[in-house]
Amino acid sequence: PKLRTVQTLHGDALDSLRRMCAAKGTRPFDLVVIDADKEGMCDYFQMLWQTPNFLSPHAVVAVDMTPFKGQPPLRFLKFGFPYRCET
């Protein structure tokens, strides 16, 4: 089997993802890790999902949902239990 390399991209996540989706010869991906701004997570996932042949048929997409800068998740704040969140 042909070995492939891991590439880390830095910069604006949406711009990087757009460039990757437009690039030829670098797909399909078996594993994608989305570790970017939490507000844009759904947009990033939708772009991955809707770009033809970007993901392999059995691809795994891992999404980092860690709270920003150690802040408790909104569900802890909403229900009045921010002190129970361990970050």
Side-chain angles (χ1 to χ4, degrees):
K2 184 178 178 183
L3 297 177
R4 300 178 189 203
T5 60
V6 174
Q7 183 180 15
T8 303
L9 301 176
H10 299 275
D12 182 75
L14 196 54
D15 289 342
S16 297
L17 189 54
R18 283 184 182 134
R19 282 193 306 273
M20 289 177 65
C21 288
K24 304 292 183 203
T26 58
R27 49 180 104 157
F29 290 95
D30 296 320
L31 173 67
V32 175
V33 178
I34 301 175
D35 183 7
D37 62 293
K38 306 314 177 222
E39 296 82 18
M41 290 291 187
C42 187
D43 295 331
Y44 306 135
F45 183 82
Q46 290 299 324
M47 187 176 294
L48 291 172
W49 194 254
Q50 294 172 358
T51 301
N53 301 317
F54 192 82
L55 300 173
S56 68
H58 302 288
V60 173
V61 178
V63 179
D64 175 23
M65 296 303 293
T66 306
F68 179 69
K69 294 185 179 180
Q71 296 171 351
L74 292 178
R75 69 180 178 276
F76 283 84
L77 297 174
K78 180 178 178 181
F79 297 108
F81 301 106
Y83 55 88
R84 289 190 181 178
C85 177
E86 295 179 17
T87 57

